[in-house]
Amino acid sequence: MTTFGVEEEYLLVEADSLFPVPRNRRVLSGARALLGSGPGDLSPELLRAQIEIGTPVCTELDEVAEHLGRMRRLVGEAAVGAGCRVAVTGAGPYRGPGPALVTEGPRYADLAGDTPPLIHEHMINGMHVHVGIEDRELGVGVLNRLRPWLPALTAIAANSPLWDGRDTGFSSWRTIAYGRWPVSGPPPLFSDARDYRVRTAGLIEAGMIRGRGQLYWQARLSDRYPTVEIRAMDTQLGVEEAVMFAGLLRALTTTLAGQVRQGSALVPVPQELLSAAVWHGARDGLAGSLLDPVRMRPAPAADVVTTLLEYVAPALKDAGDLDRVAGALARLLSGGTGAARQRVALERGGPSALDSLLTSGTGV
């Protein structure tokens, strides 16, 4: 069974509002004490109002669900102990007074010195799914075939419509905010693993980025693990949505890896078309049309989701994940993306309803 794992980023907010608070050091200390020697990773993020969790390597969706639920609960409990709460959203709805505080450390200090305005507006949180691969040659082949699916994944996972106290008009503002960095959006096509290595090294050697950690493509080869890392998704409101994406992306990666091994022809998609399609997916979520990755034409979002599910159904069935992933996708289509649910909560119940929605994801 192909291994996989999940990383999620969260926002720390005041106990009585959704304004960010710079307490990741205290929350991480409390969460690590609760975690003890248990499996999972806890780490700071760029801003002091953010933290990141990571599951251990998993082989089953039940494992992913158990680890995500446990990690969310313990960071939620640690946040309460630090006088704040955890908001599970792709972007903070409010910026709060004054500039955001950057986490201590040379790496973050360098970034803050390079781009002060972007840093202080980087109150955004993503979900990353790592899927194990045999080698980097296979990984590049998977990346090349994954590219056309990134607009749909962006739209399905959209959970960041609000920013700085207003509705941005986008379903995934996180995607738009990330697009301001020098290396972002869909990855380009690479001829092979050597081409990937040489071109990414060239960005560093030319002084365009400080290191491979600044390869902010929506999908990349991980330098820490033998995985393809898919980064197109906003952090999800609930555990089950996150579990669904983990299963969906393992199946998609497995399907694409099979095509690489079989030597199936690759149909290259122009970078400008993909970039535009990601932008539209970030704006509309599932409310409009999406680029159909098979026909390369716009189609209703629900049809593209159905196409994706049918495309990976054999891999989902082989893993025993088909019913769970299909059911979660059906609920998402009927109930709306996280972005749609945020808008409904704000419209029907005001800030208090939005507050309840965004801080209920840890179960605390």
Side-chain angles (χ1 to χ4, degrees):
M1 187 69 70
T2 301
T3 58
F4 59 152
V6 174
E7 297 167 339
E8 289 188 316
E9 299 161 347
Y10 308 134
L11 181 66
L12 304 176
V13 297
E14 292 178 346
D16 56 357
S17 78
L18 289 173
F19 285 99
V21 290
R23 297 183 190 169
N24 63 1
R25 180 185 293 179
R26 291 175 59 188
V27 173
L28 285 170
S29 176
R32 286 167 179 155
L34 292 170
L35 179 64
S37 59
D41 293 322
L42 293 158
S43 59
E45 251 302 321
L46 176 58
L47 299 180
R48 288 168 60 186
Q50 295 171 299
I51 60 171
E52 181 180 79
I53 65 96
T55 71
V57 177
C58 300
T59 58
E60 304 286 346
L61 277 188
D62 282 344
E63 289 180 81
V64 175
E66 191 278 327
H67 289 304
L68 280 180
R70 176 178 53 85
M71 298 293 282
R72 283 187 177 211
R73 283 192 301 274
L74 68 86
V75 296
E77 292 171 7
V80 170
C84 59
R85 295 173 301 160
V86 174
V88 185
T89 177
Y94 307 105
R95 290 175 61 182
L101 298 179
V102 177
T103 296
E104 299 89 344
R107 175 191 168 201
Y108 297 134
D110 286 342
L111 283 172
D114 290 342
T115 54
L118 296 188
I119 289 293
H120 297 304
E121 295 182 0
H122 202 72
M123 206 77 67
I124 55 176
N125 306 300
M127 173 190 178
H128 309 157
V129 176
H130 288 259
V131 183
I133 52 169
E134 297 164 17
D135 55 57
R136 294 176 79 81
E137 203 68 60
L138 177 63
V140 168
V142 169
L143 283 182
N144 287 339
R145 288 163 172 78
L146 178 64
R147 296 168 70 246
W149 296 99
L150 292 171
L153 293 172
T154 299
I156 298 168
N159 185 35
S160 52
L162 309 173
W163 172 252
D164 202 14
R166 61 183 176 85
D167 191 320
T168 64
F170 285 82
S171 295
S172 177
W173 182 248
R174 168 185 166 272
T175 300
I176 303 305
Y178 244 131
R180 299 181 293 181
W181 291 90
V183 183
S184 58
L189 278 170
F190 297 99
S191 58
D192 52 28
R194 180 183 182 279
D195 185 41
Y196 184 96
R197 183 178 67 254
V198 170
R199 288 166 63 184
T200 53
L203 287 165
I204 301 169
E205 292 165 4
M208 297 298 101
I209 58 175
R210 289 183 175 272
R212 293 183 186 276
Q214 286 186 267
L215 297 173
Y216 295 138
W217 288 314
Q218 289 187 308
R220 66 187 186 186
L221 300 184
S222 173
D223 279 336
R224 296 173 59 196
Y225 310 110
T227 64
V228 169
E229 181 185 1
I230 303 149
R231 306 160 47 86
M233 298 77 63
D234 291 351
T235 292
Q236 296 298 289
L237 288 173
V239 168
E240 197 56 34
E241 292 102 322
V243 170
M244 179 272 290
F245 276 108
L248 183 68
L249 291 173
R250 177 169 67 168
L252 180 56
T253 301
T254 301
T255 300
L256 299 176
Q259 294 175 3
V260 176
R261 294 188 190 98
Q262 293 164 11
S264 300
L266 171 66
V267 179
V269 181
Q271 189 75 9
E272 65 275 14
L273 175 59
L274 278 185
S275 296
V278 165
W279 187 93
H280 280 274
R283 185 188 66 183
D284 298 336
L286 296 179
S289 62
L290 294 171
L291 180 69
D292 185 317
V294 175
R295 300 169 184 84
M296 285 297 133
R297 292 289 184 272
D303 291 353
V304 175
V305 173
T306 299
T307 297
L308 173 57
L309 182 59
E310 291 174 348
Y311 191 78
V312 301
L316 286 171
K317 188 174 181 180
D318 286 346
D321 298 339
L322 179 58
D323 290 345
R324 188 169 191 169
V325 170
L329 276 173
R331 289 190 294 274
L332 188 144
L333 284 172
S334 62
T337 62
R341 291 162 63 191
Q342 286 197 43
R343 286 179 168 130
V344 168
L346 191 58
E347 179 182 351
R348 295 181 180 175
S352 63
L354 178 67
D355 185 301
S356 297
L357 178 68
L358 297 188
T359 60
S360 62
T362 64
V364 176

